[in-house]
Amino acid sequence: MTAEYKLQDDVLVVMPFERLDTISAPGVEKDVMAHIDTGTTKIVFDFQRTNYVSSAGLRVLLKAAKSVDKRGGGVGVCNANSHILEVLDISGFKMVVKIGKTLDKAVAAL
Amino acid sequence: MTLNNRAEDLGAALLKLEAFLERTDTSPKLGYAIQLVFEELVTNIIKYGYDDQDLHQIHADISLGPPTVLTIEDDGHPYDPTTQAEEVDTLAPQEERQIGGLGLHLVRAQTTSMRYARTARLNRLELVFAE
């Protein structure tokens, strides 16, 4: 297990553990894509327990966004620390995911 | 630090690096940058550096500064990341974004200079971080 998942209304909330990196990202990607295959179109990555995201993690976000956007859904991010926000920013991911301070704000932005 | 070109070795090395940085007075921002640059480059070496299935050693050395310098040596294919074109268009809308190329983009953004040399059979990359 590299992340915890919960369903809040029709939104899948993904809570990766400490690191979303080249080691943990493939497992999270597999789980998220399985949820998308069964009809999930709204996903929020809640980084409250996550202190590190690398490009492997960004790829999971981008792949999920590409998959659900076609079906009118979206991907959000919340509770990201300043370093993760910087990585999202320099990667241009404000165009890819909706960034909210809190889970409620990220869900509302979808 | 020396690791083999195997994903499980990279996982262990990343945790070792994180623990090492926490024991020093490295700022969280610089610590994040060092881990990120190390992970992105070593991932590329493991993924694209070798044609064979043999074990290869990758050496990484970190010298805390300022300036902090990370040196990575591997015996994979000659590969000079300093001459690679920028593949990522950070202003592109999501539907036009490609999956991939992000690692090197992050490496460039987190370092102030990158120097490459091919010596004998080794790629040697020296990266300098902003403090």
Side-chain angles (χ1 to χ4, degrees), chain A residues 70-100:
Chain A
K70 285 175 270 185
R71 302 185 218 161
V75 172
V77 164
C78 68
N79 293 318
N81 70 28
S82 61
H83 312 299
I84 296 173
L85 284 175
E86 193 192 331
V87 164
L88 290 168
D89 189 31
I90 57 185
S91 306
F93 264 50
K94 287 178 176 168
M95 312 274 281
V96 175
V97 295
K98 302 276 196 295
I99 299 173

Side-chain angles (χ1 to χ4, degrees), chain B residues 95-109:
Chain B
E95 54 273 19
E96 289 167 23
R97 285 292 295 262
Q98 305 294 314
I99 296 177
L102 271 169
L104 201 51
H105 175 74
L106 290 173
V107 168
R108 287 200 177 101

